[in-house]
Amino acid sequence: MKKRATTAGALMASVMLLAGACGAGAQSSASTTDATISLWTRDTQKEFINQIVDAWNESHDTKVKVTIVPAANFVQKLATTAASGNAPDVASIDLVYLPYFASTGTLEDITQLADDLPYKDGLSPSHRALAVYNERTYALPFTGDASVLFYNKELFEKAGLDPDRPPKNYADIISAANKISDLGPDIHGFAIAGQCGGCNVFEFTPHVWASGGEVLSDDGTEALFDSQEVTDALTFYRRLYTDGTMPAQSRTDNGTHQPAAFLSGKVGMVPSGTFYSQVLKKDPDIDFGVTWLPGKNGGRSSFAGGDEIAVMKNGDNTAGGREFATWATGEQAQKVLADNGIAPVRNDLTDEIYVPLDPRNKLFAEALEAGRTPYSTVEHQLFNDNNGPWVQMINKAVFGGDIATAQKQGQEAAQAIIDRAPQGTNSRGRSG
């Protein structure tokens, strides 16, 4: 299918699709002349982004000025600003939104730049795939994240479990969760964030993949929410809930209780991302292990997350933006990320700059390299939206119990969203 021509009106219509989950308001582009490079990023990156910018500014005449935008507003604000012709020069964008932004025609085509990188094949595969639209590349990998299973080694030992032999399938997790929950009324074996869309695509989807299933067809035109592998994963979570191994807050949690509960030392296992390890390391009382998110009978998978660095088409300094985007994938910038606990997207460098910092980083690096990410121009509406079909299906199935109806409704709602969306190109570069 040919890509539809992008107009300001079409782009603004796309922006409105995201408005329900995003607020408004952020600073405008900081760049006014070619003497600077304006960079937009989300506030979730404020712990390290200034170090990245400082490293660039210390060695370059052209300076980067960063604007930090609230994460809840970022997608809508960037899309609106791009449509008005006042975009920043570069933007750090959650990789799941790259197909959407590429489809709007607001990103620079950097295919040749990406192909010329000598370490192209060493970059995170999922990041590279999500940056492709209609066989052209529109961003470079920047920061990495991967979903894994965190477990409390002290609670494992108290429950009679071997902390050096973490769970490898659904039955193992169910058994361990029950033994941990038996330690006391305020102790729980497993926690999720039932009302958080982003959490549930990041943490739940790998169970489906590890079991041999899919959540979307290869070209992104068909929802597979009603597959047997999704049924099995929902049944797995439902069992954890009905066994009483989840805290009551899991049902209504929008993403704030789950990490805090594990940090309190009263939850045995939580799925989360590599970023969470930095929070846990700040508390010397938490002795945690990490392992793969398994499938029903074994297997392993991960959701590859993180950001891409994209050059905006109507920025004031696209040449500087291209230079900064390239530099951001280089060893200097990637080492700054690694030193701040962020998984580098350079798989060819992880053994040198990341794994030596913590032995657990080896699993994080392997999970990112093997990780997967759904490719869709409407990923937000399908998965990340807290009122979208993915999180609603999980919530209704796990806490309501009617898995068949939840899947049927989720499948129908997801397919309707896909059918309304313009189709471009899937992650493997074929026409959709």
Side-chain angles (χ1 to χ4, degrees), residues 294-370:
K296 179 179 181 180
N297 298 312
R300 59 189 192 181
S301 191
S302 179
F303 188 108
D307 271 35
E308 311 240 25
I309 197 85
V311 182
M312 305 302 294
K313 182 172 287 186
N314 57 3
D316 293 327
N317 189 358
T318 56
R322 284 170 174 260
E323 185 180 359
F324 179 77
T326 305
W327 177 86
T329 68
E331 184 170 354
Q332 182 183 8
Q334 292 294 303
K335 189 175 187 307
V336 172
L337 294 174
D339 289 344
N340 280 272
I342 307 300
V345 292
R346 288 282 300 277
N347 297 323
D348 59 325
L349 292 177
T350 51
D351 285 343
E352 178 183 348
I353 67 173
Y354 185 54
V355 174
L357 302 176
D358 187 321
R360 289 169 292 206
N361 287 353
K362 181 174 178 59
L363 185 137
F364 295 154
E366 291 175 349
L368 178 60
E369 185 169 8

Side-chain angles (χ1 to χ4, degrees), residues 19 63 78 104 131-132 135 239 286 291 304 379 400 423-424:
K63 306 305 180 185
L78 182 62
T104 65
V132 173
E135 302 180 348
R239 171 69 184 275
I286 296 292
T291 190
E379 195 277 349
Q423 298 301 322

Side-chain angles (χ1 to χ4, degrees), residues 211-235:
S211 300
E214 302 288 346
V215 296
L216 293 176
S217 63
D218 189 56
D219 62 3
T221 63
E222 182 182 358
L224 300 173
F225 288 22
D226 57 355
S227 72
Q228 182 60 50
E229 291 82 7
V230 172
T231 303
D232 292 340
L234 291 171
T235 302

Side-chain angles (χ1 to χ4, degrees), residues 44 48 144-148 150 199 202-203 255 258-259 271-282 288 305-306 340-343 354 364:
T44 51
F48 65 83
D145 193 13
S147 53
V148 299
F150 288 81
C199 306
F202 188 68
E203 300 169 1
Q258 179 200 33
S272 191
T274 57
F275 67 91
Y276 186 47
S277 66
Q278 297 311 300
V279 177
L280 298 175
K281 289 176 184 178
K282 294 178 181 179
F288 70 94
N340 280 272
I342 307 300
Y354 185 54
F364 295 154

Side-chain angles (χ1 to χ4, degrees), residues 222-292:
E222 182 182 358
L224 300 173
F225 288 22
D226 57 355
S227 72
Q228 182 60 50
E229 291 82 7
V230 172
T231 303
D232 292 340
L234 291 171
T235 302
F236 161 52
Y237 265 28
R238 174 66 179 171
R239 171 69 184 275
L240 288 167
Y241 176 68
T242 57
D243 280 356
T245 66
M246 288 186 187
Q249 294 91 333
S250 285
R251 183 168 192 164
T252 57
D253 186 13
N254 64 0
T256 58
H257 178 265
Q258 179 200 33
F262 186 82
L263 187 60
S264 73
K266 295 185 177 181
V267 170
M269 294 171 285
V270 293
S272 191
T274 57
F275 67 91
Y276 186 47
S277 66
Q278 297 311 300
V279 177
L280 298 175
K281 289 176 184 178
K282 294 178 181 179
D283 189 337
D285 293 331
I286 296 292
D287 183 13
F288 70 94
V290 294
T291 190
W292 291 86

Side-chain angles (χ1 to χ4, degrees), residues 67-84:
T67 295
I68 296 178
V69 181
N73 303 339
F74 186 86
V75 172
Q76 182 189 12
K77 182 62 181 178
L78 182 62
T80 303
T81 304
S84 69

Side-chain angles (χ1 to χ4, degrees), residues 149-172:
L149 182 67
F150 288 81
Y151 63 98
N152 185 311
K153 289 189 173 184
E154 182 179 356
L155 289 181
F156 264 56
E157 289 181 346
K158 288 182 177 180
L161 300 164
D162 186 347
D164 294 324
R165 296 176 62 86
K168 293 185 177 180
N169 53 48
Y170 293 175
D172 285 352

